[in-house]
Amino acid sequence: TCHAGFSPPFTKAIMTSPNPNKLLQVKLDMYLAPPSELGFRAMAAFICNDLGDYAGLSPAANPALLAQNGRLILGHICAITFAQAKTGLYHYLGALSPRAPETPQGHYRSVIVAHKNSAIQSMSDIDPARHQIAVNEIGSFSGQIILSHMLLSHGALAFPHQTLTGGHALSAKAVAEGRADLTALDEISYALIKRNDPKTAKNLRVIGHSAPHPGLAFVTSEHTDTATLAILRARLLGFFETQSGQALAQVLDIRGATYIDPAAYKPLCNL
C-alpha cells in the first residue's frame, strides 16, 4: 500500500436506501493527517451526503473486500493496488493533481530526499550497496518500487540496506533524525509532511524526482450503479470548487482532482 503514515485509517460508514441493512463505507485514509482531516470529512459529506444517513466512524477494512461485497461507495487506494486489481473490481473515479507544473494532471512523482547535511547531493551520489534507505512499506509504488527502478533498473522489493518505517511521514523522520540516508516520498505526502511536521521537513533536502505516474486512485465498488457512478465522478471533481475543497487543496498543495484514462495505470505493473 501507500499509506502516508500520519494517523490510523479514516473510514466513514453510511447507510443507504433502498437497502438500509447494507452498510456501505467511505475510506479516505491515504493522505489523512491533522491538517487534512477536516477536508476529507468535508469531501465525504459533499460526495455522499444524500446517499443515505451517516452512521458514524467505523474500523479500517480491506477496500478490495468492501468492493467485492458491494460495500465500498468511495475509496482512495494506491495506484499499484488499482493497477493490479482484478478486472472489474473497482470503478475508477479520478485522481488528485499536484500543483507542481512538472506533474501532469492526475499524476504524481516520488520526491527523493536526504538529510540537509548529507554528502548525498544528487541521485548520482546514491550507492544502494552502502546507503541505508527508509521504505514506508514493502511493495509501495511511490516509496519502494519507483526508487528501486531508478537505482537498480528494476522494481525490486528490497534494497541491500533498508529500514521499514510503516509510512511516508515515518520515513521522512528517519532521514531527518539520521537513522536512514534517504527515502522516496509521494509528492503529496511530502507537501503534507512540510505542513504537519515542519521540524522534520526543515532537516530534509530534495535530491531528485521520479518520472510522473498515475496518482492514487479514487474508486467505488464494481456494484455501484451507472447513475451513482456518474454522480460520484462529478462530485469528486466539483468538490475542489467548494470552499472546503479549496482549503484541502491548499493543505495538500494540489490543483484539485481530475479523471484520467484508467488504462494508464496498467503499465505500472511492469515496473
Side-chain angles (χ1 to χ4, degrees):
T1 66
C2 309
H3 196 273
F6 295 96
S7 60
F10 164 63
T11 58
K12 191 159 196 175
I14 57 174
M15 299 293 291
T16 65
S17 53
N19 185 359
N21 296 317
K22 190 172 187 180
L23 189 67
L24 301 185
Q25 289 188 322
V26 172
K27 192 172 189 302
L28 298 173
D29 62 332
M30 301 305 287
Y31 295 125
L32 186 67
S36 63
E37 181 172 353
L38 284 177
F40 281 116
R41 288 183 181 276
M43 175 186 286
F46 180 83
I47 295 175
C48 302
N49 75 330
D50 60 352
L51 297 180
D53 296 326
Y54 285 93
L57 300 178
S58 68
N62 185 321
L65 183 60
L66 292 174
Q68 185 176 346
N69 293 337
R71 295 174 56 201
L72 184 70
I73 190 65
L74 175 63
H76 199 200
I77 62 174
C78 190
I80 192 68
T81 301
F82 179 69
Q84 294 173 341
K86 75 177 183 70
T87 302
L89 179 62
Y90 300 108
H91 287 303
Y92 176 74
L93 303 176
L96 300 178
S97 296
R99 201 178 302 278
E102 300 86 356
T103 306
Q105 290 195 35
H107 291 64
Y108 75 125
R109 299 173 298 164
S110 284
V111 181
I112 319 305
V113 299
H115 193 278
K116 67 178 182 180
N117 297 327
S118 172
I120 302 173
Q121 300 287 321
S122 67
M123 295 297 294
S124 62
D125 294 329
I126 301 173
D127 180 0
R130 180 167 58 92
H131 289 129
Q132 190 77 16
I133 299 174
V135 174
N136 59 324
E137 295 179 45
I138 294 292
S140 167
F141 188 75
S142 58
Q144 185 176 57
I145 294 174
I146 287 180
L147 184 59
S148 176
H149 192 77
M150 294 172 72
L151 298 178
L152 306 175
S153 299
H154 61 87
L157 294 183
F159 296 103
H161 304 283
Q162 72 177 21
T163 298
L164 292 177
T165 65
H168 282 306
L170 298 174
S171 293
K173 188 175 288 290
V175 174
E177 294 177 352
R179 292 180 284 112
D181 293 303
L182 65 135
T183 192
L185 308 169
D186 158 359
E187 69 180 301
I188 296 177
S189 292
Y190 181 50
L192 199 47
I193 289 165
K194 288 190 287 186
R195 182 174 289 268
N196 191 59
D197 188 1
K199 181 179 177 181
T200 289
K202 74 177 185 179
N203 285 317
L204 302 177
R205 182 177 64 246
V206 176
I207 60 171
H209 294 83
S210 74
H213 297 282
L216 279 60
F218 286 96
V219 296
T220 187
S221 167
E222 62 179 321
H223 299 291
T224 300
D225 64 81
T226 302
T228 303
L229 176 60
I231 291 171
L232 290 170
R233 285 175 175 161
R235 289 182 180 175
L236 173 63
L237 305 188
F239 171 68
F240 290 97
E241 298 176 5
T242 69
Q243 185 174 355
S244 294
Q246 290 170 6
L248 180 60
Q250 187 72 23
V251 168
L252 300 179
D253 197 23
I254 61 174
R255 289 172 274 180
T258 191
Y259 180 91
I260 63 174
D261 186 348
Y265 287 81
K266 283 302 178 185
L268 303 186
C269 298
N270 300 324
L271 291 178

